[in-house]
Amino acid sequence: MNTDLTRQIRKLNQAHAYTTIHLHEAVGRKAGLPGTDHKYLGFLLQKGPMTAGELSALSGLTTGAVTGLIDRFEKKHLVKRQFDKTDRRKVIIAPNTQKIMALLEPLYKEYRRQSEQLIASFSAQELHIIEMYLSKSIDIMNETMHTLNDK
Amino acid sequence: MNTDLTRQIRKLNQAHAYTTIHLHEAVGRKAGLPGTDHKYLGFLLQKGPMTAGELSALSGLTTGAVTGLIDRFEKKHLVKRQFDKTDRRKVIIAPNTQKIMALLEPLYKEYRRQSEQLIASFSAQELHIIEMYLSKSIDIMNETMHTLNDK
DNA sequence: TAATTTTATCTTAGCAACTAAGACATTTAG
DNA sequence: CTAAATGTCTTAGTTGCTAAGATAAAATTA
């Protein structure tokens, strides 16, 4: 095992996280989404429809803040409030994926093109290694979050 | 080239970004940092000391918002305002790395341990592939940001 | 079943952080 | 030396947040 290489990867991973957040921030701003709305829109895109309460738990926002958040999204037709047939207290927030994509895709278009090019530059065998790294990284991050939320 | 694998990596990369942002959010909340302060603290950690104006440009916040941001950080001794000797209008924001680490490290400790374990599970050759992927991804994200800020 | 408790979202009041505009001090340019 | 430009801060007004409680529906209990 190469310790220098290990450290370097750790640093790179940190820089990667930082840059991811920075880009996400910049795109949100460019899309005219106030504050951190891009972040929560991402939650909805990633997880799909969920109730207001689930979004509250997921985002860490109070239910009151989530009400306002949905109002802002709904005004822009980015999500729709739907009512649960079996439990009429619940409000299901359904992302309007098309509308959201129409907003964000132009901003990510060039990024996506270059990402695909990068991916294409690796062999299938290499991609499997990258796949392993990414998926296990995700697992670790998710586990960290669970631990954080527990204590 | 395997198209399915390409798509899968793209999806994984997206999920990785989402999870990164989500974890970052959760840590900030746990650390008692209001709103998006963790994000901008990360900018300072990553880039090192910078002027208030530079942070404003980097973060996209107005100079007024940055003044408030620095005030909050300074009150917690996470950064220090220093005055540029050659240009006394400038305010250099120096992150107190020790203090910031003391705040964040306990929250990241377990994550870091597991990350190192994950890295150690790869061979040097495999790590070079991962290194290549991460560093090129960073380059692409940075380029995307430049393009976004230009138009 | 009716009354009670719990659950899910929304509303309200007050607060914190943001923007836009301009003030102030300093530096640079003419 | 004066005028313009630059870098940060201040102020007023707006927006989004939290905390607490209101409202409505569902689940529980007697």
Side-chain angles (χ1 to χ4, degrees):
Chain A
M1 199 201 79
N2 186 325
T3 304
D4 267 3
L5 189 53
T6 302
R7 196 201 326 277
Q8 200 189 340
I9 299 274
R10 257 211 326 103
K11 285 278 170 206
L12 257 181
N13 190 57
Q14 225 172 297
H16 189 266
Y18 159 78
T19 312
T20 298
I21 289 161
H22 195 180
L23 175 59
H24 202 264
E25 150 89 32
V27 168
R29 208 167 277 277
K30 216 60 185 173
L33 293 169
T36 54
D37 281 13
H38 185 208
K39 180 159 61 182
Y40 302 123
L41 203 55
F43 286 17
L44 281 164
L45 270 184
Q46 193 72 20
K47 299 279 186 190
M50 64 181 78
T51 66
E54 283 165 351
L55 182 56
S56 169
L58 192 66
S59 64
L61 295 174
T62 60
T63 59
V66 168
T67 299
L69 182 67
I70 304 170
D71 286 347
R72 290 195 298 279
F73 284 155
E74 215 172 27
K75 206 171 284 177
K76 294 179 177 176
H77 307 287
L78 297 175
V79 309
K80 231 181 188 161
R81 274 186 173 89
Q82 291 174 346
F83 299 93
D84 192 315
K85 299 248 159 69
T86 64
D87 184 344
R88 288 184 309 169
R89 291 168 306 178
K90 288 187 178 170
V91 168
I92 297 170
I93 312 160
N96 183 340
T97 308
Q98 277 218 318
K99 208 64 161 149
I100 298 172
M101 285 303 182
L103 178 67
L104 299 179
E105 216 150 48
L107 299 169
Y108 276 123
K109 194 180 168 190
E110 182 60 14
Y111 168 74
R112 181 167 167 169
R113 197 187 61 73
Q114 290 193 48
S115 280
E116 281 173 350
Q117 195 178 313
L118 171 62
I119 294 170
S121 75
F122 289 100
S123 72
Q125 197 192 348
E126 289 169 337
L127 285 180
H128 276 115
I129 293 160
I130 293 167
E131 183 200 340
M132 181 85 88
Y133 178 78
L134 287 177
S135 65
K136 292 214 168 160
S137 286
I138 291 171
D139 291 344
I140 292 174
M141 289 192 279
N142 277 323
E143 205 194 310
T144 304
M145 259 185 296
H146 280 118
T147 314
L148 279 179
N149 290 333
D150 284 352
K151 46 180 176 186
Chain B
M1 197 201 80
N2 187 326
T3 304
D4 268 1
L5 189 53
T6 302
R7 196 199 330 275
Q8 199 187 342
I9 299 274
R10 256 212 325 104
K11 284 279 170 205
L12 257 182
N13 190 57
Q14 227 173 297
H16 190 266
Y18 159 77
T19 312
T20 298
I21 288 162
H22 196 181
L23 175 60
H24 202 265
E25 149 88 32
V27 168
R29 208 168 276 277
K30 217 60 184 172
L33 294 169
T36 54
D37 282 12
H38 185 209
K39 180 160 59 183
Y40 302 123
L41 203 54
F43 286 18
L44 281 163
L45 271 183
Q46 193 73 22
K47 298 280 184 188
M50 63 181 79
T51 66
E54 281 165 351
L55 181 56
S56 168
L58 194 65
S59 63
L61 295 174
T62 59
T63 60
V66 167
T67 299
L69 182 68
I70 304 170
D71 287 348
R72 290 195 298 279
F73 284 154
E74 216 173 27
K75 205 170 285 178
K76 295 181 177 176
H77 308 287
L78 297 175
V79 309
K80 231 182 187 160
R81 275 187 173 88
Q82 291 174 345
F83 298 94
D84 192 315
K85 300 248 159 65
T86 62
D87 183 343
R88 291 182 306 168
R89 290 168 306 177
K90 287 187 179 171
V91 167
I92 297 169
I93 312 161
N96 183 340
T97 308
Q98 277 217 319
K99 205 75 158 138
I100 297 171
M101 285 304 183
L103 177 67
L104 299 180
E105 217 150 48
L107 300 168
Y108 276 122
K109 194 181 168 190
E110 181 60 15
Y111 167 74
R112 182 167 166 169
R113 196 188 61 73
Q114 290 194 48
S115 279
E116 281 173 351
Q117 195 178 310
L118 171 62
I119 293 170
S121 75
F122 289 99
S123 72
Q125 197 191 348
E126 288 169 337
L127 286 180
H128 277 115
I129 292 159
I130 293 167
E131 183 201 340
M132 180 85 89
Y133 178 77
L134 287 178
S135 65
K136 292 213 169 160
S137 286
I138 292 171
D139 290 345
I140 293 174
M141 288 192 280
N142 277 324
E143 205 194 308
T144 304
M145 260 184 297
H146 280 116
T147 314
L148 278 179
N149 291 333
D150 285 352
K151 44 179 178 182

